[in-house]
C-alpha cells in the first residue's frame, strides 16, 4: 500500500498489442468487430485479384445495362453495363485506404497539438485549445464540401481534408491525459535529472498517452470512412477511383433506385455499414476493456 | 464579468473567427475568383470590371477582406451567377425549409432517443439493454444518405405510399390551406425518418450511459429507500440528473445536423440549404458555397450557445451570476 | 413482541467462487422504543446487515438464509412493491456517507416532502411542504431554506437534512448507518443530541451503527458486536462495555483500541492483523488467529452464541457458558 504509485506508473509498460487483442477477443462486441474488420480487409486485398472482371469494362450493348444478378455478374451490372461485384471489391480498397490514412494524419495532428498543449500549458495551451474548439464546433461536412470543391477531387486531397478535419477530439483527449500525466512526480524528477522537454515527451508522454487514445482513434477510422463515402456521394470523390461512396453516387444519379436495381445500391451501402460497424464495435469494446477511465469522456 | 456577457463575447469571437477563416479559405484559391466565375458564366469585360470594384478585388487580400466584412455587415453575401439572384435571397428561402426539416427530426430524435436510452439504461445488463445498444450502433454506422436511398426505394418505389421528392406535389391545386399543410407534412415524413433513424443512436447511447452512471449514485439509494415506485425512481430522480450530461454532449449532435441535412436534402430534393450547397458544388458556385458554410457555422455556434444557456438554467449547481 | 426480529440472516454478494458471504447467520432484535447499537471493524458486515432489513441491497446481493420479521411480517421474501409500502413509512434509513445521499437537482424541501406524498396519498403538496419545513426547524435548519439545493449546505447540515428526511413519515424504526462519522466532534455531539431528543418526541426505535463505542455506550440500550459477518457479542450497553463485563476477547480488544472519553486520551492500542477473507469458508472461531488467548479448540470448532446473563450472549469458547 505504501509503494509510490508514481514510481509504479513510471515503470508500468504500456500494454502489448497482443494482450489487448486477447482482451478484445474475450468481449463479445469486440470479437464480432475484430472478425468483421479482418474479413473486410481480406476481401479488399484478395477480392480484386481473383475476381475476373474489370470493374471499368462497360457492357457491349443495351442488353447488358442494369442487369439483375446472374451466374456471370453475381451482383448484376450498373447503368453502363459494368460488373457491380468487381466494383464492390475494388471500392472497398478506397474506403479502407482513406479510413486508415486519414486517421493516421488525424492522430499525428491530434497527438502533436494535444501533447504540446497539455505539456507546455500556459498561453500555447490557450491558443491551441481555442483552435481545437473552433474545429470541434464548425460543422465538418459543409467544411469538407467547401474544401473539396476548392482543392479539387483526387484521393490525396480527400485524405488530407478528412485527416485534417478529424483531429480535434483526439487532441482534447490527449491533452487531458497529458495534463494528468504531467501532475505525476516523474516529470519534475526527470527534469531535475537534466532531461530535455523533447526527451520527456518522447520517453514518457507519448508511450503513456497513445494507448489511451486507441479507442477514439478506432472511432476516427469509422468516421473517416463515412466521411469519404459522403463526399463521394455528394459528387466530390476522386473520379478516377471507384469507391463504395462513388458507386452510390452513380446509382443515385442514374436513377437505379427508381428502376428497382437493388443489386446496385445495396452492396456498397452494406459494405460501408459493415466496416463502419466493425470499427465502431472495436472502439466501444476497447473503451470498455482497456480504458475505463475514458469510458464517458466526450 | 457575468456569465451572459462573457459568453456572448465568446460567441461573437467565434463568429468573427469563422468569418475570417471562411474568407481566407475561399480566397486562397490560386488566381482571381472572378476568373472562376467567368469560366462558367458568360460575362463581358465591363461586368467583370464592375464586379471587381464591387468586391474590392482590385485591392490587396487584406483590403478585400475589409470589403468582405463591410458587405457582410450590410447583409450582402454576394451575387450568384448560377442562380441569377442575390445569395442572401436564395439562402433565406432555403433556410426556412431546412429549419422545418431539422426541427421536426430533432424533436423526434430527442424524445425517442431519450426514451430508448432510459429504457435501456434502467435495465442495465439485460437482453433488452444489449439489443438496444447493438441496434443503436448499427443505425449509427449507416451513411445517412444510404438510409435515405433505402427508404426511397421501400416507401416510394416499392410500396409507393409516400412522396420521395420535393416539399410539395408539383402543380398541385390546394382546396384549403390545410390540405396544403398536409401535403408538406406527407413530403416531410421520409426525410425526417431518415435523419431520425441515424441520429437517434446518439441520444440513445449517451442517455443510457449517463443514466447507468446516475443509477449507481448514493441519492438513488435514498430514493429507493423512500419506497418510490420504480417508474418515479427512474424518471424523477434518475433521468432528471442523467439529462444534464446529455445536454452538454448535444453540441456534437448540433454540429452534425447540417451534415445530415445536406445528405437528406440531396436524396429527397428537399429545397433547403443542403440542396443549395449540393447544387453549388455541381455548378462550382463559390459565392453560395461560401455563404452557406458561413451561415451554417453561425447557426451551429448560436445553437450551442442556446443549449449552454439552457443548461445553466436547469442545473441548480451552476451559480448564475446576475 | 419485538419490533424487529432478524433470525439466522445470511447475505451474500455475488455468487459461486467469488461470492462474499458478508453476513453469516446473524440474529438481531430491536424492541419498541429501543436503541440498539451495532459495532465492529470496517468490513464486518454492519451496513450489509442494516441494508438487508428494508432490502436495499444491490441487485447482485442475495439473502441466502434467515427471516426478517418486522411487526410479525417477514420482509425477507416480500416483493419490491410490497417492500415499498414499508420503506420510509415504517423503516427509514440515514445512509452511511449521507453527503451524497441527497438529489443534487431537487430542492431539499421537495425531497423531504416526497415520502410524505407517496405514503400518505391524501396529503396536498402544500401540506407536505409545510411538514417538511417543520422537520427542518426540528433539526435546527431554518424553514426558509427548504427551497435550497443540497450543494448549498455544509456537510453537517446535509446530515441534518437527512435526519429530517428520515423522520418525515414518523417511522417506527430508523436505521442510522454511521450518521456522524464524517463530521467534526462538535457537530457529532449536536447531531447525537438531536437524534436522542427527536427519538423521544417521535417515540421511535433506532438501529445505530457507529465505530465510536463511547457514543454507543451512551446512546444505546443494547449493543451488538460483529466480527467477520458473525455476531461476536450482544447485551446491554453495560454488559458489553462495562469494565469487567465484556465476555468476548474481540470486544475487549476493541474497547482497548478506542480511547475512553472519561480518561485522558491514551495511545490507541489497535488489533494486529486483518479480519479473514469473507469469500472463503472458515473452520473454528474467525477471530482465533488474532486472538491473544485462543486455544486449540478455537481453530477447529465454531463457537455458538452462549448465554451469559439474561440479555448477554457471547460467541467464545473461553468466556461465558462453555468456559
Ligand atoms: N456492494 C458490495 N459488493 C460486494 N461486496 C461488498 C459490497 N458491499 C460490501 N461488500 C463486502 O461485504 C463485507 C461487509 O461490508 P459492509 O459494508 O457491510 O461492512 P461495514 O461493517 O458496514 O463496514 P464499514 O464500517 O467500513 O462501513 C465486506 O467484506 C465488503 O467487502
Ligand atoms: Mg458500513
Amino acid at each position: 500500500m505504501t509503494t509510490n504509485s508514481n514510481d509504479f506508473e513510471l515503470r508500468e509498460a504500456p500494454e502489448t498489442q497482443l494482450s489487448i487483442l486477447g482482451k478484445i477477443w474475450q468481449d463479445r462486441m469486440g470479437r464480432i468487430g475484430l472478425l468483421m474488420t479482418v474479413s473486410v480487409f481480406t476481401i479488399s486485398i484478395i477480392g480484386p485479384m481473383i475476381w475476373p472482371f474489370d470493374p471499368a469494362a462497360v457492357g457491349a450493348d443495351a442488353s447488358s445495362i442494369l442487369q439483375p444478378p446472374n451466374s456471370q455478374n453475381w451482383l448484376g451490372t450498373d447503368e453502363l453495363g459494368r460488373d457491380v461485384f468487381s466494383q464492390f471489391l475494388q471500392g472497398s480498397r478506397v474506403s479502407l485506404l482513406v479510413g486508415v490514412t486519414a486517421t493516421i494524419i488525424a492522430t499525428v495532428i491530434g497527438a502533436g497539438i494535444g501533447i504540446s498543449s497539455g505539456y507546455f500549458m500556459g498561453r500555447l495551451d490557450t491558443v491551441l485549445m481555442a483552435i481545437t474548439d473552433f474545429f470541434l464546433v464548425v460543422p465538418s461536412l459543409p467544411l469538407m464540401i467547401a474544401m473539396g470543391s476548392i482543392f479539387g477531387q483526387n484521393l490525396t486531397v480527400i485524405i488530407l481534408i478528412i485527416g485534417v478535419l478529424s483531429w480535434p477530439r483526439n487532441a482534447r483527449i490527449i491533452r487531458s491525459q497529458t495534463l494528468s500525466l504531467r501532475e505525476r512526480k516523474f516529470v519534475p524528477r526527470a527534469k531535475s535529472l537534466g532531461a530535455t522537454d523533447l526527451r520527456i515527451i518522447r520517453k514518457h508522454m507519448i508511450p503513456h498517452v497513445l494507448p489511451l487514445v486507441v479507442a477514439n482513434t478506432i472511432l476516427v477510422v469509422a468516421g473517416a470512412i463515412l466521411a469519404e463515402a459522403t463526399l463521394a456521394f455528394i459528387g466530390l470523390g476522386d473520379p478516377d477511383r471507384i469507391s463504395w461512396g462513388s458507386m452510390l453516387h452513380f446509382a443515385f444519379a442514374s436513377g437505379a433506385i427508381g428502376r428497382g436495381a437493388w443489386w446496385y445500391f445495396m452492396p456498397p451501402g452494406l459494405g460501408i455499414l459493415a466496416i463502419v460497424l466493425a470499427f465502431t464495435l472495436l472502439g466501444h469494446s476497447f473503451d470498455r476493456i482497456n480504458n475505463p477511465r475514458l469510458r464517458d469522456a466526450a | 464579468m457575468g456569465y451572459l456577457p462573457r459568453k456572448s463575447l465568446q460567441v461573437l469571437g467565434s463568429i468573427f473567427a469563422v468569418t475570417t477563416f471562411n474568407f481566407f479559405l475561399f480566397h486562397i484559391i490560386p488566381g482571381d475568383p472572378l476568373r472562376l466565375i467567368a469560366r462558367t458564366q458568360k460575362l463581358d469585360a465591363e461586368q467583370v470590371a464592375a464586379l471587381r470594384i464591387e468586391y474590392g478585388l482590385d485591392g490587396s487580400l487584406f483590403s478585400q477582406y475589409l470589403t468582405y466584412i463591410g458587405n457582410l455587415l450590410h447583409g450582402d453575401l454576394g451575387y450568384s451567377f448560377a442562380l441569377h439572384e442575390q445569395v442572401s435571397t436564395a439562402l433565406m428561402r432555403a433556410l426556412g425549409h431546412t429549419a422545418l426539416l431539422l426541427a421536426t427530426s430533432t424533436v423526434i430524435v430527442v424524445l425517442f432517443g431519450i426514451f430508448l436510452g432510459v429504457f435501456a439504461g434502467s435495465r442495465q445488463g439485460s437482453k433488452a439493454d444489449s439489443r438496444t445498444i447493438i441496434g443503436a450502433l448499427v443505425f449509427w454506422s449507416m451513411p445517412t444518405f444510404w438510409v435515405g436511398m433505402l427508404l426511397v426505394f421501400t416507401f416510394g418505389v416499392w410500396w409507393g405510399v409516400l412522396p420521395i421528392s420535393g416539399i410539395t406535389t408539383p402543380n398541385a391545386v390546394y382546396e384549403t390551406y390545410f390540405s396544403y399543410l398536409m401535403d408538406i407534412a406527407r413530403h416531410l415524413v421520409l426525410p425526417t425518418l431518415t435523419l431520425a433513424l441515424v441520429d437517434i443512436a446518439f441520444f440513445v447511447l449517451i442517455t443510457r450511459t449517463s443514466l447507468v452512471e446516475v443509477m449507481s449514485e448514493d441519492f438513488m439509494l435514498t430514493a429507493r429507500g423512500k419506497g418510490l415506485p420504480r417508474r418515479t425512481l427512474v424518471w424523477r430522480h434518475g433521468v432528471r440528473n442523467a439529462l444534464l450530461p446529455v445536454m452538454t454532449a448535444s453540441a456534437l449532435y448540433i454540429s452534425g445536423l447540417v451534415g445530415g441535412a445536406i445528405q437528406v436534402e440531396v436524396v429527397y430534393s428537399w429545397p433547403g440549404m443542403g440542396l443549395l450547397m449540393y447544387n453549388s458544388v455541381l455548378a462550382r458556385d463559390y459565392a453560395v458555397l461560401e455563404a452557406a458554410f458561413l451561415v451554417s457555422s453561425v447557426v451551429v455556434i448560436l445553437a450551442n450557445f442556446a443549449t449552454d444557456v439552457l443548461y445553466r438554467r436547469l442545473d441548480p449547481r451552476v451559480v448564475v451570476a446576475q | 413482541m419485538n419490533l424487529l426480529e432478524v433470525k439466522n440472516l445470511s447475505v451474500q454478494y455475488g455468487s459461486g467462487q467469488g461470492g462474499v458471504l458478508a453476513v453469516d447467520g446473524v440474529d438481531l432484535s430491536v424492541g419498541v422504543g429501543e436503541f440498539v447499537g451495532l459495532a465492529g471493524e470496517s468490513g464486518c458486515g454492519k451496513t450489509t446487515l442494516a441494508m438487508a432489513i428494508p432490502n436495499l441491497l444491490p441487485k447482485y446481493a442475495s439473502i441466502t438464509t434467515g427471516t426478517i420479521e418486522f411487526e410479525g411480517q417477514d420482509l425477507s421474501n416480500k416483493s419490491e412493491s410490497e417492500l415499498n409500502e414499508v420503506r420510509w413509512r415504517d423503516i427509514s434509513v440515514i445512509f452511511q456517507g449521507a453527503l451524497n445521499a441527497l438529489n443534487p437537482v431537487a430542492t431539499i424541501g421537495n425531497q423531504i416532502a416526497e415520502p410524505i406524498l407517496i405514503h400518505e396519498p391524501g396529503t396536498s403538496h402544500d401540506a407536505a411542504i409545510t411538514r417538511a419545513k417543520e422537520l427542518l426547524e426540528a433539526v435546527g435548519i431554518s424553514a426558509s431554506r427548504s427551497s435550497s439545493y443540497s450543494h448549498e449546505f455544509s456537510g453537517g447540515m446535509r446530515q441534518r437534512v437527512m435526519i429530517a428526511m428520515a423522520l418525515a413519515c414518523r417511522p417506527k424504526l430508523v436505521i442510522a448507518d454511521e450518521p456522524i462519522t464524517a463530521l467534526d466532534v462538535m457537530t457529532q455531539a449536536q447531531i447525537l443530541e438531536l437524534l436522542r431528543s427527536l427519538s423521544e418526541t417521535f417515540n421511535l426505535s433506532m438501529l445505530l451503527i457507529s465505530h465510536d463505542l463511547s457514543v454507543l455506550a451512551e446512546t444505546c440500550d443494547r449493543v451488538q458486536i460483529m466480527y467477520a459477518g458473525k455476531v461476536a457479542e450482544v447485551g446491554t450497553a453495560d454488559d458489553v462495555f462495562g469494565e469487567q463485563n465484556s465476555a468476548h476477547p474481540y470486544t475487549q480488544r476493541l474497547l482497548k483500541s478506542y480511547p475512553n472519553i472519561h480518561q485522558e486520551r491514551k495511545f490507541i492500542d489497535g488489533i494486529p492483523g486483518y479480519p479473514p477473507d469473507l469469500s472463503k469458508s472458515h473452520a473454528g472461531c474467525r477471530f482465533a488467529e488474532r486472538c491473544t488467548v485462543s486455544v486449540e479448540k478455537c481453530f477447529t470448532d465454531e463457537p455458538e452464541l452462549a448465554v451469559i446473563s439474561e440479555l448477554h450472549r457471547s460467541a467464545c469458547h473461553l468466556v461465558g457458558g462453555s468456559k
Side-chain angles (χ1 to χ4, degrees):
Chain A
M1 287 297 116
T2 51
T3 45
N4 188 329
S5 64
N6 303 316
D7 284 335
F8 178 69
E9 195 75 34
L10 189 62
R11 270 185 249 116
E12 179 192 45
E15 291 228 52
T16 64
Q17 244 53 30
L18 213 65
S19 73
I20 292 178
L21 281 182
K23 278 189 197 161
I24 288 205
W25 188 254
Q26 273 156 25
D27 182 59
R28 196 163 57 107
M29 262 195 200
R31 192 159 57 224
I32 298 173
L34 211 56
L35 285 176
M36 284 168 73
T37 312
V38 171
S39 329
V40 177
F41 268 90
T42 314
I43 289 174
S44 92
I45 293 169
I46 299 176
M49 294 183 199
I50 53 176
W51 187 247
F53 296 103
D54 175 5
V58 295
D61 52 49
S63 68
S64 61
I65 284 171
L66 279 182
Q67 287 303 301
N70 53 54
S71 57
Q72 269 246 314
N73 308 105
W74 287 6
L75 288 176
T77 59
D78 70 1
E79 80 281 6
L80 295 176
R82 295 172 299 191
D83 181 42
V84 172
F85 190 49
S86 36
Q87 290 185 45
F88 174 78
L89 294 176
Q90 191 74 43
S92 64
R93 292 187 166 185
V94 171
S95 287
L96 291 176
L97 182 69
V98 173
V100 172
T101 44
T103 303
I104 294 173
I105 296 174
T107 308
V108 170
I109 302 179
I113 292 194
I115 291 180
S116 354
S117 198
Y119 183 80
F120 294 107
M121 304 196 281
R123 186 157 297 176
L124 183 69
D125 182 35
T126 316
V127 172
L128 289 180
M129 281 306 110
I131 296 174
T132 307
D133 287 343
F134 175 77
F135 280 101
L136 266 179
V137 183
V138 171
S140 62
L141 186 59
L143 185 51
M144 283 181 194
I145 289 176
M147 291 173 79
S149 56
I150 291 169
F151 297 115
Q153 298 159 245
N154 69 66
L155 205 57
T156 319
V157 171
I158 291 169
I159 289 172
L160 283 173
I161 291 176
I162 297 176
V164 158
L165 293 182
S166 304
W167 57 267
R169 270 163 62 80
N170 260 342
R172 271 265 165 219
I173 297 176
I174 292 176
R175 172 181 171 270
S176 68
Q177 288 301 324
T178 310
L179 274 178
S180 71
L181 266 184
R182 222 203 121 93
E183 297 297 301
R184 297 177 212 263
K185 279 199 195 112
F186 66 79
V187 171
R189 203 183 303 153
K191 265 201 159 159
S192 67
L193 291 175
T196 60
D197 286 334
L198 205 66
R199 189 187 149 76
I200 297 176
I201 288 178
R202 223 184 45 213
K203 283 273 165 193
H204 299 307
M205 296 296 171
I206 294 179
H208 281 96
V209 163
L210 282 190
L212 296 172
V213 295
V214 172
N216 191 58
T217 305
I218 292 175
L219 293 176
V220 171
V221 179
I225 291 175
L226 275 178
E228 187 278 328
T230 311
L231 278 179
F233 173 74
I234 298 288
L236 288 171
D238 185 335
D240 299 332
R241 301 271 195 147
I242 299 166
S243 81
W244 286 339
S246 70
M247 285 175 76
L248 289 168
H249 170 76
F250 288 114
F252 180 73
S254 68
I257 305 176
R259 293 196 241 167
W262 54 268
W263 57 89
Y264 192 5
F265 62 81
M266 284 306 283
L270 287 174
I272 298 169
L273 167 59
I275 190 63
V276 173
L277 182 62
F279 278 105
T280 308
L281 289 176
L282 271 184
H284 272 252
S285 145
F286 238 105
D287 234 358
R288 281 216 312 269
I289 296 165
N290 196 35
N291 202 3
R293 260 186 296 175
L294 276 178
R295 189 177 303 168
D296 302 297
Chain B
M1 208 190 311
Y3 163 77
L4 224 53
R6 201 184 59 232
K7 192 74 196 176
S8 310
L9 266 183
Q10 254 178 35
V11 165
L12 282 179
S14 301
I15 292 178
F16 175 72
V18 118
T19 314
T20 309
F21 176 80
N22 195 29
F23 173 83
F24 285 103
L25 177 63
F26 279 89
H27 287 77
I28 47 174
I29 318 167
D32 184 341
L34 276 184
R35 221 170 341 149
L36 279 166
I37 297 170
R39 205 178 57 192
T40 48
Q41 314 294 326
K42 291 180 194 73
L43 299 178
D44 57 41
E46 223 166 283
Q47 280 174 303
V48 171
L51 284 167
R52 209 171 278 281
I53 292 167
E54 186 184 343
Y55 293 111
L57 294 181
D58 44 349
S60 67
L61 198 60
F62 186 69
S63 73
Q64 288 179 36
Y65 174 63
L66 292 183
T67 317
Y68 174 73
I69 298 282
N71 287 345
L72 271 189
L73 290 176
H74 291 100
D76 179 3
L77 292 170
Y79 184 81
S80 162
F81 290 98
L83 301 172
H84 303 291
E85 62 181 338
Q86 284 296 320
V87 172
S88 51
T89 320
L91 276 181
M92 284 313 285
R93 200 171 46 229
L95 212 52
H97 296 155
T98 300
L100 173 65
L101 177 64
L102 292 185
T104 328
S105 72
T106 298
V107 169
I108 292 176
V109 160
V110 170
L111 287 183
F112 283 86
I114 287 173
F115 186 82
L116 276 173
V118 171
F119 171 81
S122 59
R123 289 167 181 72
Q124 192 205 355
S126 69
K127 270 235 162 61
D129 180 31
S130 58
R131 280 186 192 147
T132 312
I133 298 178
I134 299 276
L137 289 180
V138 168
F139 278 103
W140 185 237
S141 303
M142 292 186 189
T144 309
F145 64 87
W146 185 62
V147 174
M149 289 166 79
L150 293 186
L151 294 186
V152 165
F153 177 65
T154 316
F155 291 94
V157 177
W158 190 10
W159 292 340
V161 288
L162 281 167
I164 52 171
S165 173
I167 190 169
T168 50
T169 314
N171 309 320
V173 182
Y174 300 105
E175 313 253 292
T176 59
Y177 191 65
F178 179 74
S179 64
Y180 167 67
L181 290 184
M182 279 316 287
D183 194 37
I184 292 181
R186 275 168 50 79
H187 280 80
L188 193 57
V189 174
L190 287 181
T192 310
L193 189 62
T194 306
L195 277 177
L197 278 178
V198 178
D199 289 346
I200 211 167
F202 177 82
F203 281 92
V204 173
L205 293 173
I206 297 225
T207 309
R208 180 196 167 273
T209 313
S210 175
L211 183 64
V212 164
E213 220 149 83
V214 168
M215 293 296 274
S216 67
E217 299 260 10
D218 288 352
F219 62 81
M220 291 304 289
L221 187 63
T222 311
R224 221 179 121 210
K226 283 176 173 177
L228 302 181
R230 188 167 168 77
R231 197 170 296 170
T232 318
L233 184 77
V234 169
W235 286 94
R236 191 188 290 166
H237 290 271
V239 176
R240 257 182 76 187
N241 279 283
L243 286 188
L244 292 169
V246 175
M247 276 190 78
T248 338
S250 59
L252 219 62
Y253 167 76
I254 292 173
S255 65
L257 266 177
V258 187
I262 295 174
Q263 301 177 52
V264 166
E265 290 181 8
V266 168
V267 171
Y268 293 96
S269 307
W270 185 267
M273 290 272 290
L275 192 61
L276 190 62
M277 287 181 91
Y278 176 69
N279 290 331
S280 316
V281 169
L282 297 185
R284 290 293 182 270
D285 187 351
Y286 289 108
V288 172
L289 265 184
E290 186 175 1
F293 173 64
L294 180 64
V295 169
S296 43
S297 302
V298 170
V299 169
V300 167
I301 291 171
L302 291 179
N304 274 320
F305 176 51
T307 345
D308 205 50
V309 171
L310 190 63
Y311 179 91
R312 298 177 69 92
R313 292 198 60 115
L314 292 181
D315 189 346
R317 280 163 296 190
V318 181
V319 186
V320 188
Q322 292 291 346
Chain C
M1 189 180 66
N2 278 329
L3 182 66
L4 176 73
E5 193 74 61
V6 174
K7 289 218 177 81
N8 190 32
L9 186 77
S10 302
V11 178
Q12 181 163 357
Y13 288 106
S15 56
Q17 281 280 306
V20 173
L21 193 58
V23 170
D24 184 2
V26 168
D27 293 351
L28 169 72
S29 66
V30 180
V32 176
E34 191 181 29
F35 268 46
V36 176
L38 200 55
E41 267 168 297
S42 185
C44 70
K46 305 180 297 290
T47 300
T48 309
L49 170 60
M51 289 304 128
I53 297 167
N55 201 345
L56 291 174
L57 296 164
K59 256 188 256 168
Y60 49 87
S62 55
I63 296 177
T64 51
T65 68
T67 56
I68 301 163
E69 275 188 15
F70 183 79
E71 296 191 302
Q73 298 187 54
D74 186 6
L75 301 184
S76 68
N77 48 25
K78 281 205 190 299
S79 71
E80 193 74 4
S81 62
E82 287 169 325
L83 283 167
N84 278 344
E85 309 252 303
V86 180
R87 289 176 182 158
W88 229 258
R89 197 186 68 192
D90 294 327
I91 303 176
S92 65
V93 186
I94 300 167
F95 292 93
Q96 179 169 13
L99 294 188
N100 301 317
L102 297 170
N103 186 335
V105 302
T107 65
I108 57 143
N110 279 333
Q111 290 187 68
I112 297 175
E114 186 175 32
I116 302 177
L117 291 165
I118 291 272
H119 293 292
E120 297 166 30
T123 322
S124 74
H125 188 262
D126 284 349
I129 290 289
T130 310
R131 262 173 66 188
K133 287 182 174 168
E134 287 164 14
L135 285 158
L136 281 177
E137 294 277 359
V139 296
I141 294 175
S142 154
S144 63
R145 308 259 347 233
S146 72
S147 50
S148 304
Y149 294 90
S150 70
H151 71 273
E152 295 164 315
F153 290 91
S154 72
M157 289 167 90
R158 279 183 237 178
Q159 200 80 46
R160 287 161 197 261
V161 171
M162 197 61 223
I163 293 172
M165 195 148 89
L167 299 175
C169 296
R170 312 200 169 203
K172 293 170 181 141
L173 175 67
V174 173
I175 296 171
D177 191 355
E178 302 188 24
I180 55 172
T181 308
L183 306 173
D184 66 90
V185 183
M186 284 304 289
T187 320
Q188 282 190 354
Q190 283 175 2
I191 289 200
L192 273 181
E193 189 50 47
L194 180 70
L195 277 175
R196 242 174 297 188
S197 67
L198 287 172
S199 69
E200 268 161 39
T201 333
F202 289 90
N203 186 32
L204 41 85
S205 313
M206 174 127 64
L207 180 63
L208 179 63
I209 301 176
S210 177
H211 284 287
D212 194 333
L213 302 185
S214 57
V215 163
L216 296 183
E218 277 178 67
T219 324
C220 297
D221 304 307
R222 283 190 308 114
V223 175
Q224 180 156 325
I225 308 291
M226 289 184 64
Y227 184 76
K230 289 217 157 237
V231 178
E233 182 170 5
V234 57
T236 64
D238 193 44
D239 286 337
V240 178
F241 295 142
E243 287 283 326
Q244 302 301 318
N245 300 347
S246 305
H248 197 290
Y250 177 61
T251 318
Q252 290 160 6
R253 294 303 305 259
L254 209 53
L255 280 168
K256 274 195 207 144
S257 56
Y258 285 89
N260 186 327
I261 49 167
H262 301 301
Q263 295 169 359
E264 296 267 296
R265 248 171 210 271
K266 60 182 177 190
F267 180 71
I268 295 175
D269 180 14
I271 309 175
Y274 294 100
D277 184 350
L278 295 177
S279 60
K280 303 201 170 75
S281 59
H282 306 274
C285 174
R286 291 171 186 205
F287 187 59
E289 271 171 27
R290 300 166 76 192
C291 185
T292 49
V293 295
S294 55
V295 295
E296 199 176 317
K297 189 184 178 189
C298 300
F299 291 93
T300 52
D301 296 2
E302 187 156 356
E304 297 283 317
L305 260 186
V307 180
I308 295 170
S309 64
E310 195 191 349
L311 293 170
H312 196 183
R313 311 272 184 281
S314 166
C316 178
H317 291 305
L318 304 174
V319 203
S322 55
K323 198 174 266 184

